[in-house]
Amino acid sequence: FGLHALLIVTVALSPATAVAQNEKDVTREDVYPPLWDLAPESLLDFPVKDNKIVINAWNYQERLGVYKNLLNSSAKYFTTFGSQNFGNILWGLPLQHGWQFHTGRLADPSSVTSCGYEDGDLLCISVRSWWSCMNYYLAVIPFLGAVEAGLFGQLQYEIEILPPEERRADFCYSVADCRSRIPELMDKWKAYFEVNIYFFHIFRATFSSLDLDEALRLMWRAHIASIAYALPKFQDSLKYLSHPEANFGEDWANAVDFIAATHFSTDLQTTNTFQIFLPQRMLFEWDVLPSISDFSPQQNRVLLSLGALHEANQLTG
């Protein structure tokens, strides 16, 4: 049962299958996350106050800017794998964030505030959103790990992340703060960026395929560690979601372990062809798999398979 589910997920999410079903030209603008062109290009595009670069990670455009800075500063390591930084394996992070924004998963699911809604503050990222809190550990923590590793060189200013209005104790806000609270997680992200820097400066100008596999291993190791740390912390946020959406969130978090084991390449084109199989809206209470009418057969099948994989994983321990 578990093997059958894993096979379906693996085949459905393979780049070859995805490309066959949806040939996507990487030069098209819609391959980028929403509002990518408007996100801050450099660290000095963020506000500077009291000798600190201040980033509001609870604003979609600014959190996207964190990713954009990571992509821009690591571009030189990936020139072997295509032009315009398309081969950079960090693309999976902002593209996932863009998918979350586009599908409404960063908005306030409790509907108490207008955070994240078109008739309210569309760019607001709600701290009540399970997806946004999980994503914090795949945005801010990698970013601060990169700062600590020296990806941005010697910075003129310290970096400070603004806290949300609620749950302030569930996050950290600077290199020193995160280093003191979650040293092992910071170590894993720092190690990924240090390998980038080491290979570039010591051995050669760009990665080879063998180096890329090692980079993927370290990136996925850190990615899994972020999810493993955040998952129990934000378990209570699932109560704001419908049962199908909450189940999908947990199923997705479980599936990442299996995807990571394959050293799946999260470059721009591969991630885009992969994401066509993910639901393009939030799941409602009345959504029943595998017959959600406004989802493609592949989306229905993948959602069903992710659930089966999660169940099999729990049953087998």
Side-chain angles (χ1 to χ4, degrees), residues 53-310:
I53 294 168
V54 180
I55 300 174
N56 179 8
W58 301 96
N59 173 278
Y60 170 73
Q61 211 162 301
E62 293 201 31
R63 195 182 289 196
L64 196 63
V66 163
Y67 286 128
K68 197 169 190 178
N69 276 266
L70 285 176
L71 265 293
N72 288 345
S73 294
S74 59
K76 57 182 174 282
Y77 308 128
F78 294 93
T79 55
T80 301
F81 302 100
S83 62
Q84 301 181 64
N85 203 21
F86 291 154
N88 196 321
I89 61 174
L90 288 178
W91 274 113
L93 296 175
L95 286 169
Q96 266 285 285
H97 186 48
W99 166 78
Q100 292 165 355
F101 173 75
H102 171 70
T103 58
R105 288 180 163 85
L106 302 179
D108 182 355
S110 70
S111 298
V112 170
T113 71
S114 62
C115 179
Y117 292 98
E118 285 191 29
D119 57 352
D121 185 354
L122 180 61
L123 297 181
C124 174
I125 295 177
S126 175
V127 73
R128 295 191 176 196
S129 160
W130 178 84
W131 291 97
S132 76
C133 292
M134 294 292 292
N135 179 260
Y136 189 95
Y137 282 85
L138 290 166
V140 171
I141 309 307
F143 172 68
L144 294 176
V147 171
E148 191 175 29
L151 182 70
F152 303 102
Q154 196 68 35
L155 291 177
Q156 184 180 356
Y157 305 105
E158 287 183 43
I159 305 283
E160 181 181 352
I161 312 295
L162 294 179
E165 293 183 2
E166 303 173 27
R167 308 194 65 149
R168 294 188 177 207
D170 288 326
F171 307 95
C172 57
Y173 305 102
S174 67
V175 170
D177 185 24
C178 295
R179 167 60 52 194
S180 67
R181 292 205 219 178
I182 46 173
E184 291 182 6
L185 185 52
M186 284 288 284
D187 281 343
K188 286 183 170 65
W189 281 111
K190 184 184 177 187
Y192 166 73
F193 290 105
E194 284 177 337
V195 161
N196 284 270
I197 296 165
Y198 181 75
F199 273 116
F200 184 77
H201 290 292
I202 304 300
F203 286 110
R204 58 188 73 83
T206 59
F207 279 132
S208 70
S209 294
L210 285 174
D211 304 331
L212 183 66
D213 191 64
E214 174 62 7
L216 282 164
R217 183 187 72 81
L218 290 170
M219 187 273 292
W220 278 117
R221 183 185 71 160
H223 192 124
I224 287 171
S226 281
I227 290 177
Y229 180 82
L231 201 55
K233 186 178 285 287
F234 301 111
Q235 192 74 19
D236 61 329
S237 296
L238 292 169
K239 68 175 181 260
Y240 296 120
L241 303 175
S242 69
H243 288 300
E245 180 69 19
N247 289 339
F248 166 57
E250 292 190 293
D251 293 345
W252 179 231
N254 171 77
V256 170
D257 278 1
F258 293 89
I259 296 168
T262 70
H263 291 191
F264 185 86
S265 184
T266 43
D267 57 78
L268 183 77
Q269 186 166 15
T270 306
T271 304
N272 269 309
T273 53
F274 162 85
Q275 288 199 152
I276 62 171
F277 296 107
L278 298 181
Q280 298 306 303
R281 63 163 174 79
M282 299 275 279
L283 296 172
F284 303 125
E285 291 292 356
W286 54 83
D287 284 326
V288 179
L289 291 167
S291 53
I292 302 176
S293 60
D294 60 333
F295 286 5
S296 69
Q298 293 88 356
Q299 287 169 338
N300 272 282
R301 189 159 62 245
V302 165
L303 284 174
L304 191 68
S305 300
L306 291 175
L309 181 62
H310 190 190

